[in-house]
Each structure stands twice: as C-alpha cells, then as structure tokens.
Amino acid sequence: MSYLGGTVRAMQPFSSPLERLGDVPWAELGHAYGSAADVPDLILALRSQDADARARARWHLYGNIFHQGTRYSGRRGTATRGPGRCGRSG
C-alpha cells in the first residue's frame, strides 16, 4: 500500500503496558532492598479495588525504587507501566 509516495506498514495491535510486564527481566534489576522481582506484583496491586492495597503498593514502589532519593535500576521497567497507566487513581 502506498501513501503519498511512501509505504504504509500495517499497525501492530495495541497492547496494554501491563500485558508486557513479563517482558522485563525484573530479577536482573534491583531496588533498595535487592532484586526488583517483586515490582510486577506491586504494579498490578495499583489496580486493586482495595484502596489500602493500592496505597501499600505505592508506598512500597516509591520506597523501593526511589529510596531516599536514589533511583534504582528497577525503575526502568516501571516507566511505561507505572501508576498513571494502571487505570486507577487514589
């Protein structure tokens, strides 16, 4: 297919960033308390119906990944999967 003299590639189906959590090598990344292997569960907890569970997840993510101002390697995988993209507020 051409468009104004160029080629148009077929678009890939949209996938939620949450569907790709498993694509990040979390265990190879770290945070303030060691391996970032727990980060996917914390990210998913941000979608919980339970406001307390969401608050605990935010607290752990912030404390683990941005501990006392230090930014750990585990934050790299959260950039496109973080709280603003999880579909819940508060």
Side-chain angles (χ1 to χ4, degrees), residues 29-83:
L29 302 175
H31 59 50
Y33 300 102
S35 168
D38 60 340
V39 171
D41 289 336
L42 293 170
I43 291 172
L44 292 174
L46 295 172
R47 294 190 57 139
S48 173
Q49 296 289 332
D50 180 355
D52 289 335
R54 291 192 310 271
R56 283 190 305 275
R58 278 193 306 274
W59 186 84
H60 283 289
L61 282 167
Y62 186 80
N64 294 354
I65 294 174
F66 299 108
H67 185 72
Q68 297 181 352
T70 302
R71 290 171 173 82
Y72 290 85
S73 62
R75 73 184 163 85
R76 283 184 263 159
T78 64
T80 60
R81 296 163 180 84

